[in-house]
Amino acid sequence: MLVGAIALFGAMNAQTKFGLKAGGNLSSVSNTEDNESKFGFYGGAFANMPLSASFNIQPELIYSGKGVSFDGAGDPRLNLDYISVPVFFQYEATPQFYLEAGPEFSFLISAKTKYDGASVDVKDSINGFDLGIGLGAGYNFTASFGANIRYVAGVTDILKDNEDDAYTNGVLQLGLTYTFQK
């Protein structure tokens, strides 16, 4: 059995593809009044490992800028910066087009409110961990270059010690991928 597991790992490792991805986030926080979506950036690396002829698993390590903007003078906003670890299962509908779904585990690295150019650190009032569930799709134009779209809905409250309605992240991502060729 151990020999079989080692052989399987070796075969998967030989077929594993590595790459980079980056793009824009359009994020919001649920249950906030007078809010607008906030534009942010995401970028990082991934490993794409085949599980079968049509199914892959793709763990990622990405920086993700989330938060929310509010209506009003002074451009008020909440900026939340995370290191995220999505683990998405992909179904290749065609050799170029895929659908994906899976969990995203995010770890808070910075939380600030901004208003009239002033910035206040609010990391002590924001939970350090955020769990989300995502759905997406992608298209590979070539063996190296592709594009993807993904929505991640937060399922955990971002506020510490909150006993009212939960405030959760919601993020729409649109970006490009580059896969290294062996």
Side-chain angles (χ1 to χ4, degrees):
M1 183 164 173
L2 179 61
V3 173
I6 292 171
L8 178 62
F9 177 74
M12 283 181 59
N13 193 28
Q15 297 173 3
T16 298
K17 299 176 190 173
F18 297 94
L20 302 173
K21 65 186 311 184
N25 280 347
L26 195 57
S27 64
S28 63
V29 174
S30 68
N31 293 322
T32 54
E33 294 182 23
D34 299 324
N35 69 48
E36 298 177 353
S37 294
K38 177 185 160 305
F39 182 77
F41 167 80
Y42 78 90
F46 64 86
N48 187 283
M49 299 170 277
L51 298 174
S52 70
S54 297
F55 289 94
N56 303 324
I57 187 168
Q58 181 167 298
E60 302 172 2
L61 181 64
I62 60 175
Y63 160 82
S64 188
K66 302 177 185 180
V68 64
S69 293
F70 298 95
D71 291 334
D75 193 27
R77 64 186 59 228
L78 172 63
N79 294 330
L80 302 172
D81 297 311
Y82 291 92
I83 296 296
S84 296
V85 182
V87 181
F88 276 63
F89 296 92
Q90 296 179 338
Y91 168 70
E92 292 180 357
T94 72
Q96 292 82 28
F97 178 73
Y98 61 88
L99 300 171
E100 62 183 7
E104 179 177 279
F105 310 96
S106 296
F107 304 91
L108 186 69
I109 56 175
S110 173
K112 295 182 179 177
T113 58
K114 291 195 173 195
Y115 179 78
D116 264 344
S119 179
V120 176
D121 189 318
V122 293
K123 191 173 179 183
D124 290 341
S125 63
I126 305 292
N127 280 318
F129 176 75
D130 185 43
L131 174 65
I133 301 296
L135 294 171
Y139 189 84
N140 294 314
F141 301 106
T142 68
S144 295
F145 290 100
N148 68 334
I149 187 168
R150 177 184 291 173
Y151 183 78
V152 179
V155 295
T156 55
D157 195 338
I158 64 169
L159 295 180
K160 286 183 180 176
D161 303 320
N162 181 25
E163 295 181 12
D164 296 326
D165 292 336
Y167 291 85
T168 58
N169 282 314
V171 182
L172 178 65
Q173 297 177 327
L174 179 62
L176 299 174
T177 60
Y178 178 80
T179 304
F180 298 103
Q181 297 304 306
K182 295 180 183 181

